[in-house]
C-alpha cells in the first residue's frame, strides 16, 4: 500500500483506535479491580475493628485487651495485620506484636475513613481508625493491613489484562483488515471494469456494485457516453472533411489537366504536387487518429510473428512485392505490449517502405534483447548516405523526390513506437541498403 492509500489510512486509524481503546479499558479495569480489593479489605478491617473494640478492658489503667484476636498475623512481626489502641486520656497505648515499635498516625484521620500510610522503611498500610467511648474513657482504635498484597494482585491482574487484550487487539485488527478488504472489493471490481474499458473489451462499466458506488459508476458511464459521442462526432467531421476535400482536389487535378493541354506544364506539375501533398496530409492525420492512446498501466499483448507473416503475405501480392525475395527469420513467437491494430500498422508501413526501395530482396529478423523485442528490416536498395539518415522518420521528409510517395510511412512508424514505449533507429545495411531497427517492450505475462 502506498502512503496515500485509503486502505492504509483506514487501517492506521483502526489500529490507533483499537490500541487506545484497549489501553484505556485496561487501565479502567485495573483501577476498578484494585478499588474492589480495597473495599473488601476495608470491610474486613471494619469487622476486625468492631471485634477489637469489644475486647478493650476499660477497667484497666494500662490500655489492654481481654483476649488476642484470632488472626495469627497480629502476633507475627510484620505479619500483615496490625492494630493499635490509644487511650485519649494519656494513660497509654497498646499495639499488636506485628507492629514492633511502629506507631500508627491517627490524629488527623476522620472516623471510619480508610486511609493509606507509608513509613520510611517501605511499609505501606491501609488503615481504618475510629474513636470509641467505653464507659467514661475515650479510645482511638486503629486496625490495618499490608497494601502490598493488593498491589501485587493488581499488578498480576494488569499483566493478565495485557495478555488478554493483546490477543483481543490482534483479533480485532485482523477482523478490521478483513472487513476493509471486503469493503474495498467493490472498488477493486470498479478498477478492473475501468481497465476493461480502457483495453477496449467493453464499452461501459457493468456488474453489480455497492449502492454507494452506483452513482460513481453512473457518472463514469455517462462520461464514457459523452466521450464516445464526441469521438464519433470527430470521426464524422474528419470523414466529412476528407470527402469535402475530394471535390477541391479533383478540381485541382482538372485544372492541372487543362493547363497541360495549353502547354503550361510547370503550373500543372505544381498543382498536382499541391493536391498530392494535401491528400497525404489528410491521410496521415486520419491514420494517426486511429492509434490507441496508452498509459503506463495499460497492457496489451500482440503476436509479432503473426503481424509479420500477415503483412508479408499481403505485400507479396502487390506489384512491388511480387518481384522480391522475402526472407523472414522469426524464431520463437514473441508477444509485444502494443495493440494488434497498431502493430499491424507499424509492420505494414515499414515493410511497405522496404519493398518500395528494395532491388531484389527484403530480410526480416526478430530477436530478443532483455525485455525488448527487436524487429530488423533490411532491404538491398540503394541505401541512404550517413549524413541523411538522421532525417528519416521526420514527418513529410522525403530524401528522393523522384520516387512516388509522401514520406509519411516512417513518420507514422515513429509515432506508433513513441506511443507504445518503443524506439526506432536506422543504419546502413550489410547488403548496401537500409536497416530499420525497431524495439518494442515485451508483453507482461
Amino acid at each position: 500500500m502506498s502512503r496515500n492509500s485509503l486502505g492504509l489510512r483506514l487501517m492506521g486509524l483502526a489500529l490507533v483506535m483499537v490500541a487506545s481503546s484497549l489501553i484505556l479499558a485496561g487501565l479502567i479495569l485495573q483501577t476498578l479491580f484494585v478499588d474492589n480489593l480495597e473495599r473488601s479489605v476495608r470491610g474486613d478491617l471494619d469487622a476486625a475493628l468492631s471485634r477489637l473494640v469489644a475486647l478493650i478492658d476499660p477497667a484497666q489503667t494500662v490500655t489492654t485487651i481481654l483476649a488476642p484476636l484470632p488472626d495469627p498475623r497480629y502476633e507475627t512481626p510484620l505479619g500483615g495485620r496490625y492494630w493499635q489502641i490509644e487511650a485519649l486520656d494519656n494513660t497509654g497505648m497498646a499495639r499488636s506484636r506485628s507492629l514492633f515499635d511502629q506507631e500508627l498516625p491517627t490524629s488527623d484521620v476522620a472516623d471510619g475513613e480508610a486511609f493509606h500510610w507509608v513509613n520510611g522503611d517501605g511499609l505501606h498500610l491501609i488503615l481504618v481508625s475510629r474513636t470509641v467511648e467505653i464507659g467514661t474513657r475515650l479510645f482511638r482504635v486503629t486496625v490495618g493491613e499490608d497494601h502490598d498484597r493488593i498491589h501485587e494482585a493488581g499488578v498480576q491482574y494488569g499483566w493478565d489484562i495485557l495478555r488478554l487484550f493483546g490477543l483481543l487487539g490482534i483479533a480485532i485488527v485482523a477482523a478490521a483488515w478483513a472487513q476493509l478488504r471486503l469493503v474495498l472489493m467493490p472498488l477493486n471490481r470498479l478498477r478492473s471494469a475501468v481497465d476493461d474499458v480502457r483495453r477496449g473489451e467493453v464499452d461501459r462499466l457493468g456488474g453489480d456494485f455497492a449502492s454507494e458506488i452506483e452513482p460513481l459508476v453512473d457518472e463514469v458511464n455517462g462520461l464514457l457516453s459523452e466521450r464516445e459521442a464526441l469521438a464519433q462526432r470527430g470521426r464524422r467531421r474528419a470523414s466529412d472533411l476528407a470527402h469535402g476535400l475530394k471535390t477541391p482536389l479533383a478540381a485541382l487535378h482538372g485544372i492541372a489537366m487543362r493547363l497541360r493541354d495549353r502547354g503550361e506544364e510547370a503550373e500543372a506539375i505544381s498543382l498536382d504536387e499541391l493536391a498530392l501533398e494535401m491528400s497525404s496530409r489528410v491521410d496521415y492525420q486520419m491514420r494517426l487518429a486511429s492509434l490507441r492512446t496508452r498509459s503506463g498501466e495499460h497492457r496489451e499483448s500482440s503476436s509479432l510473428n503473426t503481424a509479420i507473416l500477415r503483412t508479408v503475405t499481403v505485400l507479396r501480392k502487390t506489384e512491388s512485392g511480387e518481384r522480391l525475395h522475402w526472407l523472414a527469420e522469426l524464431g520463437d513467437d514473441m508477444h509485444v505490449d502494443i495493440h494488434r491494430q497498431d502493430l499491424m500498422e507499424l509492420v505494414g508501413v515499414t515493410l511497405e517502405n522496404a519493398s518500395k526501395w528494395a532491388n531484389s530482396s527484403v530480410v526480416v529478423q526478430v530477436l530478443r534483447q532483455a525485455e525488448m523485442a527487436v524487429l530488423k528490416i533490411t532491404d538491398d536498395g540503394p541505401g541512404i548516405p550517413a549524413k541523411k539518415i538522421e532525417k528519416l522518420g521526420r514527418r513529410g521528409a522525403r530524401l528522393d523526390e523522384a520516387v512516388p510517395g509522401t514520406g509519411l510511412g516512417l513518420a507514422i512508424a515513429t509515432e506508433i513506437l513513441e506511443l507504445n514505449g518503443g524506439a526506432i533507429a536506422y543504419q546502413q545495411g550489410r547488403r548496401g541498403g537500409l536497416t530499420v531497427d525497431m524495439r518494442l517492450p515485451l508483453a507482461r505475462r
Side-chain angles (χ1 to χ4, degrees):
M1 294 184 179
S2 65
R3 295 176 58 184
N4 293 327
S5 169
L6 181 61
L8 181 61
R9 294 180 182 180
L10 291 176
M11 280 303 299
L13 180 60
L15 185 61
V16 171
M17 292 181 63
V18 169
S20 58
S21 299
L22 291 180
I23 291 174
L24 181 61
L27 293 175
I28 293 175
L29 287 176
Q30 186 181 28
T31 302
L32 293 176
F33 177 76
V34 172
D35 288 345
N36 284 326
L37 286 180
E38 290 182 349
R39 281 196 294 269
S40 176
V41 168
R42 179 186 172 181
D44 292 342
L45 292 178
D46 284 336
L49 190 146
S50 298
R51 191 178 300 114
L52 185 63
V53 170
L55 294 175
I56 296 175
D57 185 2
Q60 298 292 332
T61 305
V62 179
T63 304
T64 186
I65 58 176
L66 298 174
L69 293 175
D71 193 332
R73 289 180 291 177
Y74 291 110
E75 303 301 323
T76 304
L78 302 177
R81 275 293 185 99
Y82 313 92
W83 61 263
Q84 175 180 290
I85 302 174
E86 179 184 1
L88 298 183
D89 57 0
N90 296 322
T91 56
M93 178 186 296
R95 292 191 297 268
S96 64
R97 186 171 297 179
S98 58
L99 271 177
F100 270 136
D101 57 350
Q102 300 284 342
E103 181 177 341
L104 302 178
T106 60
S107 58
D108 298 329
V109 180
D111 281 356
E113 293 292 334
F115 65 97
H116 294 263
W117 176 68
V118 180
N119 70 351
D121 298 328
L123 185 64
H124 182 193
L125 305 181
I126 180 171
L127 304 173
V128 176
S129 183
R130 186 183 303 160
T131 300
V132 297
E133 182 179 359
I134 303 175
T136 59
R137 304 182 63 185
L138 292 176
F139 297 93
R140 186 71 171 179
V141 183
T142 305
V143 294
E145 183 174 333
D146 274 338
H147 193 273
D148 291 343
R149 182 176 65 87
I150 299 175
H151 176 71
E152 291 173 0
V155 170
Q156 184 60 42
Y157 182 77
W159 283 111
D160 293 340
I161 286 292
L162 179 62
R163 287 189 288 268
L164 175 62
F165 279 14
L167 295 176
L168 182 61
I170 294 174
I172 293 175
V173 170
W177 181 84
Q179 182 182 21
L180 178 63
R181 302 301 299 176
L182 182 64
V183 170
L184 293 180
M185 281 180 62
L187 295 180
N188 293 331
R189 290 201 303 269
L190 178 61
R191 181 175 60 185
S192 298
V194 171
D195 194 50
D196 291 340
V197 173
R198 295 174 63 184
R199 288 198 302 266
E201 297 179 0
V202 295
D203 296 330
R204 297 290 183 274
L205 299 180
D208 294 331
F209 294 99
S211 58
E212 292 81 3
I213 301 179
E214 282 292 346
L216 175 60
V217 173
D218 294 338
E219 291 293 332
V220 172
N221 283 333
L223 181 61
L224 291 174
S225 298
E226 293 179 4
R227 188 185 69 172
E228 180 63 23
L230 290 174
Q232 290 180 358
R233 186 183 307 168
R235 284 192 291 268
R236 286 196 301 267
R237 290 183 177 179
S239 178
D240 293 342
L241 176 61
H243 286 291
L245 289 175
K246 287 182 178 179
T247 300
L249 292 175
L252 286 177
H253 283 296
I255 294 173
M257 291 178 61
R258 289 195 295 271
L259 290 174
R260 283 191 178 91
D261 292 341
R262 290 186 298 185
E264 299 178 8
E265 186 67 23
E267 289 78 1
I269 292 175
S270 298
L271 286 177
D272 281 335
E273 290 179 350
L274 179 60
L276 178 61
E277 178 68 15
M278 293 174 61
S279 179
S280 65
R281 297 295 178 182
V282 172
D283 179 65
Y284 175 72
Q285 294 299 332
M286 292 293 290
R287 293 171 76 174
L288 289 183
S290 66
L291 299 180
R292 269 66 176 169
T293 303
R294 296 292 303 275
S295 67
E297 297 181 354
H298 193 179
R299 302 299 175 190
E300 298 284 358
S301 180
S302 302
S303 171
L304 185 56
N305 286 2
T306 300
I308 293 172
L309 293 175
R310 288 183 178 179
T311 305
V312 170
T313 301
V314 173
L315 289 177
R316 290 180 62 183
K317 299 177 182 180
T318 62
E319 180 179 355
S320 60
E322 63 181 358
R323 61 179 177 81
L324 300 176
H325 174 68
W326 295 84
L327 177 60
E329 301 175 0
L330 303 182
D332 295 335
D333 191 15
M334 285 184 285
H335 286 71
V336 292
D337 185 14
I338 179 175
H339 191 271
R340 180 180 59 84
Q341 180 177 330
D342 294 349
L343 179 61
M344 292 295 296
E345 180 77 10
L346 172 66
V347 175
V349 295
T350 50
L351 285 179
E352 183 181 1
N353 182 77
S355 67
K356 182 175 65 175
W357 291 98
N359 292 325
S360 61
S361 65
V362 175
V363 179
V364 183
Q365 296 174 298
V366 176
L367 308 172
R368 176 171 180 170
Q369 294 182 357
E371 296 301 317
M372 302 292 286
V374 180
L375 173 60
K376 292 180 176 289
I377 301 176
T378 305
D379 62 72
D380 61 349
I384 300 175
K387 61 182 180 180
K388 293 186 177 181
I389 285 182
E390 62 181 15
K391 296 182 179 180
L392 288 175
R394 295 181 182 178
R395 184 171 57 183
R398 297 181 59 196
L399 303 185
D400 191 348
E401 300 292 339
V403 178
T406 62
L408 297 177
L410 295 181
I412 293 175
T414 302
E415 293 272 2
I416 295 174
L417 288 167
E418 289 179 353
L419 189 62
N420 292 276
I424 188 169
Y426 309 95
Q427 58 187 349
Q428 293 290 343
R430 291 178 298 176
R431 304 175 62 187
L434 178 69
T435 296
V436 181
D437 191 333
M438 292 173 287
R439 298 172 182 268
L440 274 171
L442 293 173
R444 294 186 181 180
R445 296 293 183 180

